[in-house]
Amino acid sequence: MADAGTLAPRLEAIVGAARVTSTGVARWTIDGLVPKLVVRPADAEQVGAILRVCGEAGAAVVPWGSGTAIDVGNIPKAADVVLLTDRLSRVVDHDHSNLTVTVQAGITLDGLSKVLAAHHQFLPLEPPRADVATAGGTAAVNLSGPRRMLYGGVRDLVIGLRAVQADGAAIKWGGKTVKNVAGYDMCKLFVGSMGTLGILTELTFKVFPVPEASRTLAIWGADVTVIGALAAKVLASPLLPAAVTVVNTAAALGTPVSRHTAGLMVRVEGLEAAVARHEHDIYNWAAAVGADVQTLTGDGETSAWRAIRDFGWDGSAAAIRLSTPPARVPLVLERLQIALPAGSGLMSHVGSGVTWVRLDASTVSSDILSSLKVLAGHHQGHLLQARLPRALKVDGDVWYPIPQALDLMRGLKQAFDPHYTLSPGRFVAGL
């Protein structure tokens, strides 16, 4: 890229001198790469102007929301300029009668939830550190949370978006209507693209009414095998819980309701009569296998799910996501219990087939990662080494296996960002 001293004045002319900095930039380090400049645009027009200037200077730009998932992905090939989205934080439109909300990408999910709560509505996205995670960052990384099995994931809930391409051109797809079926659903292309196709500036979400009743049944059993079998029974029944999550003993110790055994957390939401039916049936099934059950409500329920939501995002832990067909989860859990080092945390959102492994970053090794890849392949799954020490990232791609559609993905990258200006190398196979 051009010298930072040459680029900085051009960026200052766009956003003002106070919104461009070259000092103290180490706090925005990405996988060991320290940016030369940090810039804070106020709107999509400024984002476009910044990208045009950076493109001319050959400077790589990495968008940054709150940074909660900035270490997810491959090591970028370059990170010259970090573009902060914190000034793009408005609620643009809330059509509460039609259950949609349009927000700028830099708004935090916590800030959005307070706006929605005033109309007794909510957005069921629960990525790690959701209290500070931004809407744009959550969409870019595609982390959904425990309630995905009932409400859908990020790709299901984003129904419209605006973004700025690498050449500074603004684009818009989707809209504020849930039943929007004209043409290709290009929103899904940007969700999970890790900021490599464009910088998200605005998103429209589908939202839901706050349920009349909510309770969580925490079921504690001897081991993951017993708990996994009970989870399978719940999922095979006519019941429709919002979340069904298995935790091994190590993971359970991180929850405020731990009984120092493996656990099954079943979240039930809806009409009171339906919630009571879930509670009645699950209590009976748990009693039949000698498991202990406690009912969580209010702050206790909130705290328990916050701990589950943030699993693997604490301290220096390494976090690995294994996605398999839901029917394969019980066998995957059995194999993981054998394959993982003692003390490793294990948590599985059984209904959506997403299993998280938390490893001590000081003991995680390439041999362990290789065994997890073999397990994923054997069970028709995919692996994302979501949080990993840089030394292990250098050895290869954090995604496994490399998708069969890689050539198509390369073509899309070439079409949207031919000069690799946006987060170069951060996505799968160095895209």
Side-chain angles (χ1 to χ4, degrees), residues 99-114:
L99 296 173
T100 66
V101 65
T102 301
V103 298
Q104 291 184 312
I107 192 172
T108 65
L109 294 182
D110 185 60
L112 174 56
S113 69
K114 291 175 181 176

Side-chain angles (χ1 to χ4, degrees), residues 362-378:
S362 65
T363 59
V364 62
S365 67
S366 56
D367 289 341
I368 293 174
L369 297 177
S370 295
S371 67
L372 292 176
K373 290 176 183 178
V374 171
L375 182 64
H378 185 70

Side-chain angles (χ1 to χ4, degrees), residues 188-210:
K188 289 181 171 57
L189 181 64
F190 273 73
V191 173
S193 64
M194 309 289 292
T196 59
L197 297 180
I199 294 182
L200 298 173
T201 57
E202 188 175 293
L203 300 109
T204 299
F205 293 101
K206 176 170 57 176
V207 298
F208 296 83
V210 173

Side-chain angles (χ1 to χ4, degrees), residues 350-365:
V350 186
S352 55
V354 175
T355 300
W356 284 93
V357 176
R358 183 184 64 204
L359 300 165
D360 188 324
S362 65
T363 59
V364 62
S365 67

Side-chain angles (χ1 to χ4, degrees), residues 369-392:
L369 297 177
S370 295
S371 67
L372 292 176
K373 290 176 183 178
V374 171
L375 182 64
H378 185 70
H379 292 283
Q380 304 170 13
H382 303 273
L383 199 74
L384 169 61
Q385 297 160 124
R387 299 187 72 217
L388 206 61
R390 189 183 193 278
L392 289 173

Side-chain angles (χ1 to χ4, degrees), residues 17 35 168 199 238 285 308 360 397:
I199 294 182
W285 296 335
I308 290 172
D360 188 324
D397 208 282

